[in-house]
Amino acid sequence: MLLRSTFLKLKIKYLIVIIVVCFLIRIFGVFTHLFEKDYYKTFEYPYNGNIHISVQQLRYNQKPDIPPINFYNYEYIIDCHEKCTSDSNIVPLRLVYIVKSSPENFDRRVVIRNTWGYEHRFSDVEIRTIFVLGTRHDNELQEIINNESAQFKDIVQANFTDSYFNNTIKTMMGLKWAVKFCSASKFYMFVDDDYYVSTKNVLRFVRNPANYPQYLQESNHKTKNVSVIHQTRIEDFELPEDVRLYAGYVFFSAPHRHFTSKWYVSLEEYPYHMWPPYVTAGAYVLSLEALMDMYYTSFYTQHFRFDDVYLGLLAKKATIEPFHCDHFYFYKNPYESQGYSFTIASHGYDSPAELLQVWTDQKSLGNA
Ligand SMILES: *[C@@H]1O[C@H](CO)[C@@H](O)[C@H](O)[C@H]1NC(C)=O
Ligand SMILES: *[C@@H]1O[C@H](CO)[C@@H](O)[C@H](O)[C@H]1NC(C)=O
Ligand SMILES: *[C@@H]1O[C@H](CO)[C@@H](O)[C@H](O)[C@H]1NC(C)=O
Ligand SMILES: *[C@@H]1O[C@H](CO)[C@@H](O)[C@H](O)[C@H]1NC(C)=O
């Protein structure tokens, strides 16, 4: 009798252990990993097929051979269509900031307008700044936004629900706005409204991305040396008009397969063991050609809810290679006056007062 009861207890113990192990395996997605497809061998993402010709046909207003499969047809509630013109003439621009903001973040927008988003920061560089918002379906909030837009003329708002997993829509409505209403800039920078940005360093970076920031250090050194001052200066370098630049902090990472993750992705949604390389979505730069090719490629790229992954998919399908630069910080670069000399962008500035303070400090040091 005694023997039988201990035996039973032992059995129950084993059963519990087995159940717990199975549960853990499921939570951590071990089985899911086994069924992933090899990104490097078999990658395809709908539309599956060669789209290059159709993308160019769409871009140049011809009827494409392949009918598009994906649209971002949300209406612009506010389109701010005069932002990049002057007396209806198109103004050639150097840089356009497309700031992804949330409807209620009024105080962040105030500080951005007065710091890195200030359009007249440099008298000889044409810069524009707009804020892209979705909607909260709240009439009171909307009235304040309408007033803000009337005052500053820098709000672009589209009719989709503003939420974290609608960020791809926000990004694509920003891209679409640039293509439709502001297509005469050489560079576009997409930034979240909780970032510090140094406009001075953005401009230095786009001048010579491959040698940033070394070329500045070299030229600093050289200007002190009279004997070389008349040689060709490396800062006169300029990227060609047709460059396809998609730059920022580049990630090579794998999808999350454990159920508890905020970023959990099922095999049905995405079957491969790796994401395409992508630039973290908080801050990145696109040249005009990259913007055009990625925008028109979106008509042949099934929607994906993570905006950074979606842009990675667009770049992959458009055969644009993401360009990595360490000076875009997707986390907060801890603040030190001297440590920010070459910082292009840093996450972690959800406090407008702190952003103002850091930016003012860096501007006085000649770094912003
Ligand atoms: C918006 O502007 C109008 C006209 O200037 C004003 O009457 C109204 O009170 C403002 N609304 C808000 C919410 O600020
Ligand atoms: C926005 O979309 C909703 C439903 O999708 C519609 O009822 C509403 O009229 C739209 N608003 C504007 C300003 O387009
Ligand atoms: C995204 O926006 C659409 C259009 O407004 C809405 O139907 C949908 O519920 C939103 N999705 C999320 C996750 O908020
Ligand atoms: C100045 O430039 C010349 C020629 O490149 C070089 O030989 C010399 O060492 C430089 N002097 C300094 C102080 O860098």
Side-chain angles (χ1 to χ4, degrees):
M1 208 51 204
L2 196 73
L3 202 74
R4 231 183 115 189
S5 128
T6 36
F7 195 62
L8 208 72
K9 267 189 200 154
L10 218 65
K11 256 177 143 175
I12 290 173
K13 228 182 188 172
Y14 277 124
L15 207 67
I16 289 172
V17 168
I18 287 169
I19 288 171
V20 166
V21 167
C22 284
F23 184 71
L24 287 179
I25 283 177
R26 186 137 172 76
I27 289 269
F28 290 110
V30 174
F31 291 138
T32 317
H33 283 300
L34 285 178
F35 293 108
E36 286 175 329
K37 292 190 196 167
D38 189 328
Y39 170 83
Y40 297 105
K41 285 188 187 144
T42 58
F43 184 78
E44 267 191 324
Y45 188 85
Y47 178 91
N48 301 332
N50 190 337
I51 56 169
H52 290 287
I53 290 169
S54 294
V55 166
Q56 295 309 314
Q57 287 167 327
L58 268 186
R59 178 171 172 184
Y60 293 105
N61 262 323
Q62 296 157 3
K63 190 177 182 305
D65 297 343
I66 304 166
I69 62 155
N70 185 48
F71 300 92
Y72 292 96
N73 275 341
Y74 300 91
E75 242 178 287
Y76 289 107
I77 301 168
I78 307 172
D79 69 13
C80 202
H81 67 275
E82 288 178 344
K83 176 51 101 178
C84 305
T85 58
S86 162
D87 303 325
S88 325
N89 292 318
I90 292 166
V91 182
L93 305 172
R94 182 70 180 170
L95 176 67
V96 177
Y97 282 119
I98 298 179
V99 186
K100 291 173 285 165
S101 190
S102 292
E104 63 283 354
N105 290 348
F106 302 101
D107 52 348
R108 293 192 195 172
R109 292 195 285 276
V110 167
V111 171
I112 290 171
R113 283 184 193 108
N114 290 322
T115 57
W116 56 264
Y118 183 54
E119 295 181 347
H120 308 292
R121 175 72 186 87
F122 302 103
S123 59
D124 57 343
V125 188
E126 289 283 357
I127 296 172
R128 297 291 182 274
T129 300
I130 57 129
F131 298 91
V132 189
L133 323 177
T135 162
R136 294 252 185 260
H137 311 287
D138 169 337
N139 291 338
E140 232 170 276
L141 184 66
Q142 190 58 43
E143 191 184 327
I144 308 177
I145 291 168
N146 291 346
N147 282 9
E148 183 187 9
S149 168
Q151 189 181 350
F152 297 104
K153 300 186 173 57
D154 60 5
I155 303 289
V156 171
Q157 190 182 28
N159 198 4
F160 63 89
T161 305
D162 198 293
S163 69
Y164 181 73
F165 281 125
N166 266 348
N167 258 340
T168 300
I169 299 178
K170 187 178 283 183
T171 296
M172 293 313 297
M173 291 309 284
L175 245 78
K176 185 175 186 170
W177 178 86
V179 169
K180 300 284 173 208
F181 301 115
C182 192
S183 60
S185 179
K186 189 156 178 186
F187 300 103
Y188 298 81
M189 181 156 174
F190 290 73
V191 198
D192 286 350
D193 66 2
D194 58 352
Y195 266 68
Y196 161 85
V197 177
S198 159
T199 299
K200 197 167 186 177
N201 287 342
V202 172
L203 295 171
R204 288 162 155 177
F205 171 73
V206 295
R207 194 165 272 292
N208 193 343
N211 293 308
Y212 182 87
Q214 300 84 341
Y215 84 90
L216 296 168
Q217 291 155 316
E218 282 163 25
S219 70
N220 270 349
H221 194 71
K222 274 185 188 169
T223 43
K224 291 191 190 103
N225 186 338
V226 184
S227 73
V228 289
I229 208 154
H230 295 299
Q231 290 177 11
T232 318
R233 297 188 318 163
I234 196 160
E235 64 262 42
D236 290 338
F237 188 83
E238 173 75 40
L239 293 174
E241 290 301 318
D242 63 352
V243 67
R244 298 199 303 168
L245 183 70
Y246 163 43
Y249 197 99
V250 176
F251 258 94
F252 294 86
S253 64
H256 286 198
R257 301 298 189 188
H258 45 278
F259 288 105
T260 48
S261 170
K262 182 181 180 186
W263 297 284
Y264 167 74
V265 172
S266 71
L267 287 175
E268 288 77 52
E269 203 176 358
Y270 186 83
Y272 302 99
H273 82 296
M274 291 293 287
W275 295 122
Y278 62 82
V279 179
T280 53
Y284 55 94
V285 173
L286 296 179
S287 63
L288 177 62
E289 280 302 302
L291 176 102
M292 288 289 175
D293 282 356
M294 284 165 76
Y295 174 68
Y296 286 103
T297 298
S298 76
F299 288 86
Y300 298 103
T301 309
Q302 185 181 296
H303 176 72
F304 198 87
R305 65 197 156 105
F306 303 158
D307 53 347
D308 40 17
V309 169
Y310 191 67
L311 289 168
L313 289 165
L314 295 180
K316 169 94 178 155
K317 287 168 74 88
T319 64
I320 295 171
E321 212 171 302
F323 183 87
H324 175 75
C325 174
D326 279 336
H327 300 274
F328 291 79
Y329 294 86
F330 67 92
Y331 50 93
K332 187 172 189 169
N333 181 16
Y335 188 64
E336 266 177 72
S337 288
Q338 298 312 318
Y340 263 50
S341 312
F342 299 118
T343 297
I344 295 169
S346 172
H347 191 202
Y349 286 88
D350 44 5
S351 153
E354 188 185 4
L355 172 59
L356 180 61
Q357 194 193 339
V358 164
W359 183 84
T360 308
D361 193 26
Q362 286 304 309
K363 180 169 173 274
S364 71
L365 293 168
N367 300 328

